[in-house]
């Protein structure tokens, strides 16, 4: 599998969802939780500064999230970097007060360092650790000293936990998508070696754990054949009724790192 497969995947995503919110991910709870995480961290950073920060969304997709950032912080200096030509062209059509760049994160460094860097399920689209590490190095060099790297990425260890729960209930294991390579052991050691310090986040790193368990274990056990799979009333009920952040079942984790 190579990056051409990833490019073709997002070509299809761009054609299907255009500038809609589902282009990032169809699960509305995950999408809204990620947005809440990033916006909370941006607001927290602003509270410690005398001016609005500069920000870069690496792998900005169709620009939907950056559009939300601009709506909340109209004067923020934002840049979006996107690998997919099709998604990049959708970004340009938005005519936002944002600078968009068509570039590959493995080969790209910002000409001017920023205060905040963001990746939203982007590193996992790089299909080798060598490429993921190179992207992390470029993100590090794109940040000012003391700058923050906010990430929502998928981790293999949590997928293993989820599949253990599924196995106990005689459900088939889930695998990562063909266009993904989840982050694995050694990620945090590498971040420390690069010069990143892990910080406390406003929203817990395992915030999505309960949602993953209910949607990928509990819901599959109680759902009747032919009924709705995604975003059902049952799932929405559990999302509201149960506490979040229980266990370690969500492959998608929220982390904040500081460049030291």
């Amino acid at each position: 599998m190579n990056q051409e497969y990833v490019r073709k995947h997002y070509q299809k995503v761009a054609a299907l969802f255009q500038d809609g919110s589902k282009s990032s991910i169809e699960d509305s709870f995950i999408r809204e939780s990620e947005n809440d995480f990033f916006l909370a961290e941006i607001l927290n950073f602003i509270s410690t500064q005398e001016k609005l920060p500069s920000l870069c969304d690496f792998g900005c997709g169709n620009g939907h999230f950056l559009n939300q950032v601009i709506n909340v912080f109209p004067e923020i200096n934002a840049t979006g970097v996107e690998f997919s030509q099709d998604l990049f062209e959708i970004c340009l059509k938005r005519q936002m007060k944002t600078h968009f760049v068509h570039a590959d994160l493995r080969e790209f460094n910002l000409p001017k360092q920023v205060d905040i860097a963001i990746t939203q399920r982007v590193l996992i689209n790089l299909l080798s650790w060598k490429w993921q590490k190179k992207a992390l190095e470029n993100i590090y060099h794109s940040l000012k000293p003391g700058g923050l790297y906010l990430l929502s990425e998928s981790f293999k260890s949590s997928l293993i936990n989820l599949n253990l729960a599924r196995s106990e209930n005689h459900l088939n294991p889930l695998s990562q998508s063909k266009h993904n390579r989840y982050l694995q052991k050694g990620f945090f050691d590498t971040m420390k070696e690069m010069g990143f310090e892990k910080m406390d986040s406003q929203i817990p790193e395992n915030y999505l754990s309960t949602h993953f368990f209910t949607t990928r274990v509990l819901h599959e056990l109680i759902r009747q054949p032919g009924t709705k799979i995604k975003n059902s009333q049952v799932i929405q009920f559990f999302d509201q009724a149960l506490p979040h952040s229980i266990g370690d079942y969500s492959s998608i984790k929220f982390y904040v790192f500081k460049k030291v």
Side-chain angles (χ1 to χ4, degrees):
M1 200 72 63
N2 57 34
Q3 291 305 121
E4 180 63 16
Y5 182 89
V6 177
R7 185 190 68 79
K8 289 181 178 179
H9 170 78
Y10 284 103
Q11 187 177 46
K12 294 176 183 177
V13 167
L16 181 61
F17 296 113
Q18 295 294 315
D19 64 353
S21 61
K22 291 183 179 180
S23 177
S24 171
I25 193 168
E26 292 188 60
D27 188 311
S28 59
F29 183 84
I30 294 176
R31 185 173 62 251
E32 291 167 8
S33 298
E34 286 181 327
N35 291 349
D36 290 344
F37 162 68
F38 288 124
L39 291 174
E41 293 300 336
I42 295 169
L43 183 60
N44 186 57
F45 185 87
I46 290 174
S47 69
T48 67
Q49 307 296 310
E50 296 180 355
K51 61 179 182 179
L52 286 173
S54 53
L55 175 150
C56 183
D57 185 359
F58 290 99
C60 64
N62 67 0
H64 183 269
F65 171 68
L66 274 180
N67 189 50
Q68 291 189 302
V69 173
I70 296 298
N71 287 337
V72 178
F73 309 106
E75 302 304 318
I76 200 168
N77 178 11
T79 299
V81 178
E82 177 51 45
F83 164 74
S84 165
Q85 178 69 39
D86 301 88
L87 291 172
F88 172 70
E89 291 175 0
I90 295 173
C91 290
L92 295 181
K93 291 178 183 177
R94 289 183 179 275
Q95 298 182 337
M96 295 163 48
K97 291 198 314 182
T98 302
H99 178 56
F100 289 106
V101 180
H102 179 231
D104 188 330
L105 182 51
R106 296 171 296 173
E107 304 168 352
F108 177 75
N109 276 299
L110 287 173
K112 188 175 181 180
Q113 291 179 320
V114 295
D115 297 299
I116 298 176
I118 288 173
T119 62
Q120 191 169 353
R121 288 170 283 105
V122 170
L123 295 177
I124 60 172
N125 290 328
L126 301 173
L127 301 182
S128 75
W129 172 236
K130 177 182 177 181
W131 291 344
Q132 291 173 338
K133 186 176 179 181
K134 180 60 179 175
L136 288 168
E137 290 171 350
N138 290 341
I139 291 171
Y140 179 84
H141 292 305
S142 296
L143 276 172
K144 296 177 182 177
L148 296 184
Y149 172 31
L150 315 178
L151 65 89
S152 174
E153 298 284 351
S154 295
F155 291 79
K156 189 173 182 179
S157 58
S158 302
L159 177 62
I160 292 173
N161 292 339
L162 181 65
N163 279 332
L164 177 60
R166 289 176 62 86
S167 175
E168 289 176 350
N169 290 279
H170 305 290
L171 297 172
N172 293 329
L174 298 175
S175 59
Q176 56 194 11
S177 300
K178 291 183 179 179
H179 63 282
N180 287 161
R181 180 189 184 275
Y182 286 4
L183 298 173
Q184 302 180 25
K185 290 181 179 179
F187 169 78
F188 295 98
D189 289 338
T190 297
M191 294 294 282
K192 186 175 181 179
E193 291 167 3
M194 283 184 185
F196 280 114
E197 178 184 356
K198 184 176 174 293
M199 309 294 289
D200 292 334
S201 56
Q202 303 298 303
I203 294 177
E205 61 193 49
N206 65 330
Y207 183 79
L208 295 171
S209 181
T210 305
H211 177 75
F212 265 68
F213 192 92
T214 56
T215 56
R216 290 153 175 82
V217 180
L218 183 58
H219 191 241
E220 288 201 31
L221 291 172
I222 64 176
R223 185 177 68 84
Q224 296 299 306
T227 58
K228 193 172 183 180
I229 297 176
K230 295 182 180 180
N231 300 319
S232 69
Q233 290 294 315
V234 174
I235 291 173
Q236 292 178 44
F237 171 80
F238 283 127
D239 283 339
Q240 296 178 50
L242 299 177
H244 307 299
S245 312
I246 302 301
D248 182 18
Y249 298 105
S250 170
S251 56
I252 301 176
K253 297 287 192 65
F254 302 154
Y255 288 108
V256 178
F257 290 94
K258 181 178 182 180
K259 178 177 180 178
V260 295

